[in-house]
Amino acid sequence: MTAANTDEQIENSHEPAFGDDAIEAVAFLARSEHRLRVLALLDDGVHSRPALGEHTGVSRVTLSRILNDLADRTLIEHDPTENTYALTGFGELVYADFARLLGTVSVGQAVPDVVDRLPTEWFDFELRCLSESTLVAPDSDDPLAAARIVANAVQDASSFHALLGTFISLPMYTFEDAVRSGDPPDGVVLFDASLTETMVDDADLRNRWRHIEAEIGSTVYYTVDDRVPCSIDLIDGETVFLTVDREQHSGFDILRCTHPAVVRWARETIERQLADATPLDRCLSPRA
């Protein structure tokens, strides 16, 4: 490859060119938790200097230095008449991007073995919304420990809605027990096309879901045409379990999350799929 060709590739490259000043500005924020804390507080609204001091817990001298440094970089602005501080428009953009980066890194650190398998292109929420999620039963020797937690959540719920691309039998068995006891939660389960065949062809599973629907007297189980890249279980409209298959090993991992953006996405995704879903019993042959 000639030098001319190399130069042409560089010119045509879409990789961003980061100047030293930009890198230093990012490093400036990353070096101080207190600077980020001040930006986070101001992201929630205008604050007075005493309020910022109270919430950060730093000395007045340190706070003054932080505020002056942030103002010098045009990230915040001071209203001397009210002695209050606010983010500038530029500061809002910088903090939003920084918070997004920190959240993404937090998810990668919290669940490093799972993050690469998450179908992020399917989500309409930012990955950082999963930063406070927990990996269910990560250290248990019982391969079904995580599934038992989901099953228990179903059993104790008032309602549950599921969109499944991975079938775990325990929640169905638990739901069947709740039906048998006479106090079942309000439930809807959507199977993707890959699971529908199993639900219809497996005699034991077919008998179970048909018995559940007969006892309840309404449709619980549906089939959808779309492939579901990770299973969603929404419990009582406030807790989401995301089940992700392991790529090179048998089994699965389950994340539990209560972030409002994740809950909203789960609810809307299930509702959208349910609108076009087909009751599972319509997939049965006449002799089934």
Side-chain angles (χ1 to χ4, degrees), residues 43-107:
D43 188 56
D44 286 336
V46 175
H47 279 65
S48 66
R49 180 184 287 255
L52 292 172
E54 179 182 351
H55 288 298
T56 57
V58 300
S59 68
R60 286 189 295 177
V61 172
T62 299
L63 180 61
S64 292
R65 184 172 65 252
I66 291 172
L67 294 175
N68 288 336
D69 287 343
L70 293 174
D72 287 344
R73 287 166 170 80
T74 66
L75 295 171
I76 67 172
E77 54 191 1
H78 179 222
D79 180 353
T81 60
E82 300 291 338
N83 195 25
T84 57
Y85 291 83
L87 290 180
T88 63
F90 174 58
E92 291 177 0
L93 294 173
V94 169
Y95 179 71
D97 284 344
F98 215 92
R100 186 179 300 110
L101 171 62
L102 291 177
T104 300
V105 172
S106 297
V107 174

Side-chain angles (χ1 to χ4, degrees), residues 122 162-167 189-199 222-231 245 273 280 283:
W122 192 44
L163 175 61
L164 305 181
T166 297
F167 179 65
V189 180
L190 311 177
F191 296 115
D192 76 358
S194 66
L195 292 182
T196 297
E197 184 176 353
T198 300
M199 294 301 110
Y222 295 82
T223 179
V224 298
D225 294 332
D226 292 346
R227 175 72 179 95
V228 176
C230 83
S231 293
D245 286 332
Q273 292 286 350
L280 191 58
C283 300

Side-chain angles (χ1 to χ4, degrees), residues 87-138:
L87 290 180
T88 63
F90 174 58
E92 291 177 0
L93 294 173
V94 169
Y95 179 71
D97 284 344
F98 215 92
R100 186 179 300 110
L101 171 62
L102 291 177
T104 300
V105 172
S106 297
V107 174
Q109 291 177 331
V111 287
D113 296 332
V114 178
V115 67
D116 284 343
R117 288 179 278 126
L118 292 172
T120 53
E121 72 285 350
W122 192 44
F123 301 152
D124 75 351
F125 57 85
E126 295 179 355
L127 187 60
R128 66 189 177 110
C129 296
L130 295 176
S131 61
E132 296 181 5
S133 63
T134 56
L135 186 61
V136 177

Side-chain angles (χ1 to χ4, degrees), residues 200 209-210 213 219 221-223 278-285:
V200 171
W209 64 258
R210 293 184 74 184
E213 291 190 335
T219 301
Y221 297 97
Y222 295 82
T223 179
T278 301
L280 191 58
D281 63 4
R282 294 186 187 176
C283 300
L284 297 174
S285 66

